[in-house]
């Protein structure tokens, strides 16, 4: 199907599942382990793969298949189906857009000579430049998922804190694990959000060949810059300009 309409049905396995669902059929699942299969383990290859599935998910948003599959579901099943298909990418994109809104709001306050102290006197919750609330909110889904999988909230919280790597429970390796995990997933979440926004703007999604390189394959600094210039560096420069404007207006 993806070869017939490569810019719409890019995620052909998802559309195949939707077709099976709407027809009321069943599909057997067979998992086969293959030597050297799934080698998107390097940083750049993982980014390309996540970009491809994120952009392809936009085609699922716009498809008639998704509407037909949910037309006969109850509300609870629709919520479950939403988070199993497009909800994750919608959430990442909304969070990415709200960062721009949050920063732009504080810049406009500075340009209007309105301080955060004045907002605090009015009892406004935006008086504090917070990040703890959204961070805790984003931890709720994996916490609830872990409680269902491991049987208790305590075990789920332990898994979130220590991860699945035994080295993460050791000090100081655990601190390094936390730092690298935060760096990796923050970077990849931005990659996925940028892919969704680009696909929404262009109206199409294109196939990205990961090449499935070996884990020890190295790219040059130029190759890395060219790969991420539109996804990360452009927005980083924009945020830097916003920051300079914010500091200048606050003087």
């Amino acid at each position: 199907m993806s070869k017939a309409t490569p810019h719409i049905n890019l995620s052909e396995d998802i559309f195949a599942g939707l077709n099976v669902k709407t027809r009321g059929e069943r599909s057997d699942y067979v998992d086969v382990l293959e030597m050297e299969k799934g080698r998107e383990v390097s940083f750049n290859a993982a980014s390309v793969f996540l970009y491809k599935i994120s952009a392809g998910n936009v085609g699922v948003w716009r498809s008639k298949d998704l509407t037909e599959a949910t037309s006969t579901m109850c509300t609870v099943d629709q919520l479950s189906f939403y988070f199993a298909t497009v909800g994750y990418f919608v959430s990442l994109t909304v969070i990415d857009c709200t960062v721009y809104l949050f920063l732009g709001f504080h810049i406009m306050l500075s340009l209007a000579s309105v301080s955060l102290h004045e907002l605090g006197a009015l009892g406004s919750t935006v008086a504090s430049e917070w990040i703890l609330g959204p961070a805790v909110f984003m931890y709720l889904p994996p916490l609830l998922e872990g409680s269902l999988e491991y049987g208790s909230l305590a075990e789920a919280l332990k898994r979130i804190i220590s991860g699945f790597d035994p080295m993460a429970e050791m000090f100081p390796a655990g601190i390094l694990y936390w730092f690298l995990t935060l760096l990796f997933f923050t970077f990849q979440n931005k990659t996925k959000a940028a892919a969704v926004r680009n696909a929404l703007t262009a109206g199409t999604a294109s196939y990205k060949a990961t090449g499935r390189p070996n884990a020890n394959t190295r790219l040059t600094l130029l190759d890395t810059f060219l790969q991420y210039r539109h996804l990360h560096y452009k927005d980083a420069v924009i945020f830097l300009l916003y920051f300079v404007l914010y500091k200048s207006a606050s003087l």
Side-chain angles (χ1 to χ4, degrees):
M1 181 181 293
S2 63
K3 293 182 179 179
T5 52
H7 299 297
I8 300 176
N9 306 105
L10 181 62
S11 302
E12 71 280 358
D13 49 351
I14 303 298
F15 283 98
L18 291 176
N19 289 336
V20 171
K21 171 65 179 177
T22 53
R23 294 171 183 172
E25 300 174 350
R26 298 180 62 88
S27 176
D28 294 332
Y29 175 77
V30 180
D31 194 359
V32 179
L33 297 179
E34 185 177 345
M35 180 63 177
E36 296 186 351
K37 177 67 175 177
R39 292 187 297 181
E40 290 90 354
V41 293
S42 64
F43 195 92
N44 291 320
S47 299
V48 174
F49 177 75
L50 293 174
Y51 181 93
K52 180 185 69 173
I53 62 175
S54 301
N57 195 259
V58 176
V60 181
W61 296 12
R62 298 171 170 174
S63 67
K64 185 180 179 181
D65 306 66
L66 187 66
T67 304
E68 293 179 349
T70 57
S71 60
T72 58
M73 294 182 182
C74 64
T75 303
V76 176
D77 290 339
Q78 286 181 350
L79 290 174
S80 177
F81 194 77
Y82 166 75
F83 284 103
T85 51
V86 302
Y88 174 70
F89 299 96
V90 172
S91 300
L92 286 180
T93 307
V94 170
I95 292 173
D96 186 64
C97 293
T98 54
V99 173
Y100 289 91
L101 295 176
F102 182 79
L103 184 58
F105 175 76
H106 283 279
I107 290 176
M108 288 187 290
L109 287 179
S110 299
L111 294 176
S113 300
V114 178
S115 65
L116 297 179
H117 177 72
E118 293 174 342
L119 286 178
L122 298 176
S124 176
T125 57
V126 297
S128 59
E129 301 178 28
W130 49 268
I131 196 61
L132 181 61
V136 173
F137 180 76
M138 289 301 296
Y139 261 109
L140 287 179
L143 182 63
L144 296 177
E145 179 183 354
S147 64
L148 293 176
E149 184 173 355
Y150 299 107
S152 66
L153 287 174
E155 184 64 23
L157 185 61
K158 177 184 176 182
R159 293 283 180 170
I160 289 178
I161 294 176
S162 63
F164 299 93
D165 189 352
M167 290 295 295
E169 300 180 2
M170 301 173 58
F171 185 84
I175 303 299
L176 180 61
Y177 175 89
W178 265 85
F179 175 75
L180 294 178
T181 301
L182 177 64
L183 179 65
F184 177 79
F185 282 102
T186 301
F187 190 91
Q188 298 299 355
N189 286 344
K190 175 59 180 176
T191 300
K192 288 178 277 190
V196 171
R197 289 194 290 111
N198 291 342
L200 287 173
T201 303
T204 59
S206 58
Y207 178 81
K208 300 290 184 180
T210 61
R212 292 190 172 88
N214 294 318
N216 59 354
T217 301
R218 297 293 181 264
L219 296 178
T220 64
L221 184 61
L222 178 60
D223 294 332
T224 304
F225 172 77
L226 293 177
Q227 179 172 337
Y228 299 115
R229 67 185 188 277
H230 290 304
L231 302 179
H232 296 271
Y233 295 130
K234 179 181 178 181
D235 289 345
V237 172
I238 293 176
F239 273 114
L240 180 60
L241 294 177
Y242 285 165
F243 178 76
V244 172
L245 179 61
Y246 175 69
K247 288 298 184 180
S248 301
S250 301
L251 295 178

